[in-house]
Amino acid sequence: MSFIELAKSRRSIRSFKSDDIPDTLLMQLLEAAQAAPSAGNCQPWHFYIIKNKKTITQIREQACKQAFVASAPVVVVVCADIMRTKEIYKKRGVELYCLQDTAAAIQNMLLCAQELGLGACWCGHFGEKELSAILNLTDEIRPVAVIPIGFPKKEAVKTERRPIEEIATFITE
C-alpha cells in the first residue's frame, strides 16, 4: 500500500478484540514513533506501554472516562519529557516543541498500527494530574495522549474530510 493510501485508511478505532498484542508488534510501533522528527533532535517522548488491566481501568476511570479505553488489551500513554527541550529552547521548548515532537511520534505510531492491522485511537481527553498520579510521573514528564491499541473488532466507518480548497491557501506570485 502506498503512503497516501495508508494515511487515508487510518481510522480511530474504539472497539477491540481481547487478543493480546505480540511484543514484536509493540516494538514496531515504538520504532515508528522513535523515528519521528523533533526540534534539535531532542526526542522528548517517553512511552508507557500498559498491559496491566487494573492500571488500564484506573486510567479509564480516573483520567479518560471513555469506556472503550478499558476494552483495549494495551494502552500506551505518550508523554513529553519537558526537560529535553527546555535545556535548548527554554520557554518555547516547554510550551510548543516538546508537544509538537510528541505529536509527530504519536502520528507515526498510529500509521504504523494501521499498517500492522492494529486499531488505535488518539485520546486527549483526560486530566493530566490524575493520569500523572496513576503513573507516578514527575512534574517534568507531561502526559500528552492515551492510546488504546488492539486488533479491531470491526472496520471503522470512514469519516468525512473537509475539501482541500477549504483547508489550504496557496500563495503564489
Side-chain angles (χ1 to χ4, degrees):
M1 154 178 346
S2 73
F3 177 78
I4 194 69
E5 291 170 330
L6 176 66
K8 286 182 171 185
S9 68
R10 192 219 52 83
R11 303 278 180 272
S12 293
I13 302 298
R14 294 179 178 87
S15 179
F16 305 97
K17 295 178 183 176
S18 61
D19 303 3
D20 189 32
I21 299 173
D23 287 343
T24 55
L25 296 184
L26 293 173
M27 289 304 294
Q28 288 182 56
L29 295 176
L30 292 170
E31 288 172 7
Q34 179 187 45
S38 65
N41 197 31
C42 291
Q43 303 174 48
W45 40 72
H46 191 88
F47 307 90
Y48 291 84
I49 296 81
I50 303 157
K51 292 184 173 186
N52 180 287
K53 278 300 184 187
K54 181 180 176 189
T55 305
I56 290 172
T57 301
Q58 284 180 314
I59 290 169
R60 184 254 179 238
E61 293 293 322
Q62 298 298 321
C64 294
K65 310 231 188 290
Q66 298 178 70
F68 71 92
V69 171
S71 73
V74 174
V75 169
V76 177
V77 177
V78 185
C79 297
D81 182 342
I82 294 167
M83 298 311 290
R84 292 194 65 87
T85 52
K86 183 179 184 179
E87 292 175 22
I88 298 173
Y89 297 110
K90 312 298 183 240
K91 183 179 178 185
R92 192 158 175 85
V94 170
E95 293 178 356
L96 181 62
Y97 297 158
C98 69
L99 299 176
Q100 287 178 329
D101 298 347
T102 305
I106 293 166
Q107 182 65 1
N108 277 11
M109 184 178 280
L110 294 176
L111 290 170
C112 183
Q114 176 66 19
E115 181 182 54
L116 296 174
L118 296 169
C121 186
W122 182 334
C123 302
H125 179 67
F126 56 84
E128 284 189 41
K129 288 180 182 177
E130 294 84 354
L131 188 52
S132 294
I134 291 167
L135 298 176
N136 296 313
L137 303 179
T138 64
D139 290 341
E140 291 80 29
I141 305 294
R142 182 177 181 190
V144 176
V146 172
I147 304 175
I149 300 173
F151 292 99
K153 246 187 196 174
K154 58 184 177 182
E155 194 169 321
V157 178
K158 182 179 179 181
T159 56
E160 287 298 316
R161 295 293 178 210
R162 293 168 47 206
I164 297 291
E165 300 78 26
E166 193 177 301
I167 65 168
T169 300
F170 290 86
I171 301 173
T172 59
E173 294 180 40

